[in-house]
């Protein structure tokens, strides 16, 4: 034990699921391997504990159903951690004070993945955030935002006192697991084959899928005969979305497929990823789509504009602007709009997993 460089605790409010091995799962496993290769021990605290083959090399502390934060607090006295890293937890709270009181010599880093509401927090919420910053910001050594958008909002939420301790590390993906599709260029889908759109999302109102359905409902029968839409994901808004599909007579156009562990392999079968979201930090689904040479139709929210460039690797519209989405769909179906350049090189050069892991680990070593 004494010859270790350090012992890292990673606390993640994140559900481990066999049917959803995605970008963050790959990051956790790669980070763990990288830390061990540099002589660090890593202990993982998740929201649940599943014996998944994908995670077989990780030292996961069993959880009996508590939140990841409480699970970690209950084990604070069991190990002397040199570093504590949190993902998907609170941004600044009494939780961080408890960690520093128990581990005063540890370095505490908070990674913020959480998108903000489309129209921002309420005044009451903003005041509470500023009060939390006054009380607890001194216990956090580093905040990491997964996009410049996120960094901006960390500082906006907590105040300028946290600015010197806040930086951006972009999400990255494992490009090697994503097959690359051929660039199809400009096709008149009404004359050749259907336009194939995919939506990959948690099914909740803030993801804006209801706007995609509404936009499709405004297209002509001839256009709808030239479009196929597949929705991958599950969530509390699924029943409402299915009812909206039925109400708009789109049952033959839109198919719900639930969650899938093989999304990276499925991307090559589609023409565009459609993500009409109201809230986003820095979407792994967008990165994976671009890595497959699959252009993206999405909104201006969050960090989307940091990777999607209008008419270069996708099409951008304002959130809730259904008329604008209809215009984009019209243009694509009738071959007035098309993305004709590969979208994969940007991801390989700037948003790859090993870069993300190295930059996170640079804060440790």
């Amino acid at each position: 034990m004494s010859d270790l460089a350090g012992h890292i605790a990673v606390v993640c409010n994140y559900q481990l699921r066999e049917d959803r091995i995605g970008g963050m799962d790959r990051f956790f496993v790669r980070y763990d391997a990288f830390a061990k290769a540099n002589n660090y021990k890593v202990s993982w605290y998740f929201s649940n504990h599943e014996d998944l083959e994908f995670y077989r090399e990780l030292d996961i502390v069993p959880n009996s159903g508590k939140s990841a934060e409480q699970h970690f607090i209950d084990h604070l006295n069991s190990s002397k951690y040199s570093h504590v890293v949190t993902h998907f937890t609170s941004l600044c709270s009494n939780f961080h004070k408890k960690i520093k009181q128990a581990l005063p010599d540890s370095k505490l880093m908070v990674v913020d993945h959480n998108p903000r509401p489309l129209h921002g927090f309420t005044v009451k919420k903003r005041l509470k955030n500023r009060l939390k910053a006054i009380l607890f910001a001194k216990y956090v050594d580093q905040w990491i935002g997964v996009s410049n958008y996120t960094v901006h909002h960390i500082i906006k939420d907590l105040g300028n006192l946290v600015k010197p301790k806040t930086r951006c590390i972009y999400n990255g993906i494992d490009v090697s697991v994503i097959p690359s599709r051929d660039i199809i260029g400009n096709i008149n889908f009404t004359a050749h084959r259907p336009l194939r759109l995919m939506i990959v999302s948690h099914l909740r109102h803030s993801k804006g899928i209801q706007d995609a359905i509404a936009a499709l409902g405004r297209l002509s029968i001839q256009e709808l005969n030239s479009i196929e839409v597949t929705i991958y994901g599950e969530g509390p808004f699924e029943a409402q979305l299915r009812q909206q599909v039925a109400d708009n007579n789109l049952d033959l156009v839109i198919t719900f497929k639930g969650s899938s562990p093989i999304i990276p392999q499925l991307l090559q079968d589609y023409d565009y990823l459609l993500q009409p979201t109201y809230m986003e930090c820095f979407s792994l689904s967008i990165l994976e789509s671009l890595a497959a040479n699959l252009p993206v139709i999405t909104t201006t929210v969050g960090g989307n504009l940091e990777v999607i460039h209008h008419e270069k690797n996708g099409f951008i519209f304002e959130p809730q602007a259904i008329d604008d989405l209809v215009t984009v769909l019209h243009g694509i179906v009738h071959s007035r709009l098309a993305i004709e350049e590969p979208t994969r090189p940007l991801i390989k050069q700037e948003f790859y997993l090993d870069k993300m892991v190295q930059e996170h680990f640079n804060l440790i070593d």
Side-chain angles (χ1 to χ4, degrees), residues 211-260:
D211 292 348
I213 298 171
L216 289 163
R218 297 184 187 180
L219 301 183
S220 68
I221 293 176
Q222 180 189 17
E223 289 168 329
L224 290 175
N225 288 337
S226 303
I227 298 177
E228 297 174 356
V229 181
T230 307
I231 299 175
Y232 293 94
E234 54 190 42
F237 205 53
E238 181 172 349
Q240 291 94 321
L241 294 174
R242 286 182 177 273
Q243 185 60 54
Q244 186 184 4
V245 167
D247 292 344
N248 283 272
N249 298 313
L250 294 171
D251 301 86
L252 298 179
V253 177
I254 300 175
T255 303
F256 290 83
K257 287 287 186 74
S259 295
S260 172

Side-chain angles (χ1 to χ4, degrees), residues 17 19 201-204 232-238 258-259:
R17 289 178 49 174
D19 65 343
S201 176
H202 187 60
L203 305 186
R204 59 177 184 264
Y232 293 94
E234 54 190 42
F237 205 53
E238 181 172 349
S259 295

Side-chain angles (χ1 to χ4, degrees), residues 13-140:
N13 253 335
Y14 185 86
Q15 290 282 328
L16 304 181
R17 289 178 49 174
E18 192 169 14
D19 65 343
R20 187 201 60 193
I21 301 298
M24 286 308 300
D25 302 277
R26 294 186 182 90
F27 167 73
F28 294 147
V29 170
R30 191 74 61 88
Y31 181 91
D32 185 81
F34 193 89
K36 289 174 180 174
N38 284 273
N39 209 30
Y40 282 83
K41 182 178 180 180
V42 188
S43 297
W44 295 84
Y45 294 83
F46 287 105
S47 302
N48 65 327
H49 180 238
E50 299 286 344
D51 292 323
L52 301 182
E53 176 66 16
F54 187 80
Y55 280 97
R56 66 186 181 279
E57 300 296 331
L58 271 63
D59 176 21
I60 299 175
V61 180
N63 188 351
S64 58
K66 299 177 181 178
S67 70
E69 292 101 321
Q70 187 58 53
H71 180 39
F72 181 63
I73 293 297
D74 290 347
H75 287 80
L76 258 180
N77 296 323
S78 62
S79 296
K80 294 299 180 183
Y81 297 108
S82 58
H83 301 78
V84 179
V85 184
T86 70
H87 294 268
F88 304 104
T89 67
S90 57
L91 191 60
C92 183
S93 70
N94 192 48
F95 169 62
H96 305 100
K97 178 181 178 180
K98 290 179 180 178
I99 294 173
K100 274 295 190 175
Q101 286 179 331
L103 302 168
D105 297 325
S106 66
K107 183 175 182 180
L108 176 54
M109 292 164 283
V110 177
V111 185
D112 185 7
H113 302 265
N114 299 319
R116 273 53 174 186
L118 179 58
H119 300 296
F121 289 127
T122 63
V123 173
K124 182 179 179 181
K125 178 72 171 178
R126 292 200 299 270
L127 290 173
K128 286 180 67 175
N129 284 337
R130 290 300 178 97
L131 178 59
K132 287 181 179 179
I134 293 170
L135 294 174
F136 305 120
K138 61 186 175 182
Y139 300 108
V140 176

Side-chain angles (χ1 to χ4, degrees), residues 123-187:
V123 173
K124 182 179 179 181
K125 178 72 171 178
R126 292 200 299 270
L127 290 173
K128 286 180 67 175
N129 284 337
R130 290 300 178 97
L131 178 59
K132 287 181 179 179
I134 293 170
L135 294 174
F136 305 120
K138 61 186 175 182
Y139 300 108
V140 176
D141 296 294
Q142 184 81 63
W143 281 274
I144 300 104
V146 299
S147 63
N148 285 322
Y149 156 88
T150 315
V151 168
H152 169 77
H153 279 277
I154 292 172
I155 297 167
K156 182 179 179 181
D157 292 346
L158 302 180
N160 283 328
L161 77 163
V162 308
K163 189 173 183 178
K165 300 194 291 184
T166 306
R167 61 159 296 177
C168 173
I169 298 179
Y170 280 116
N171 283 337
I173 61 166
D174 185 356
V175 179
S176 69
V177 304
I178 302 174
S180 177
R181 64 190 282 277
D182 294 331
I183 300 298
I184 60 170
N186 202 330
I187 286 183

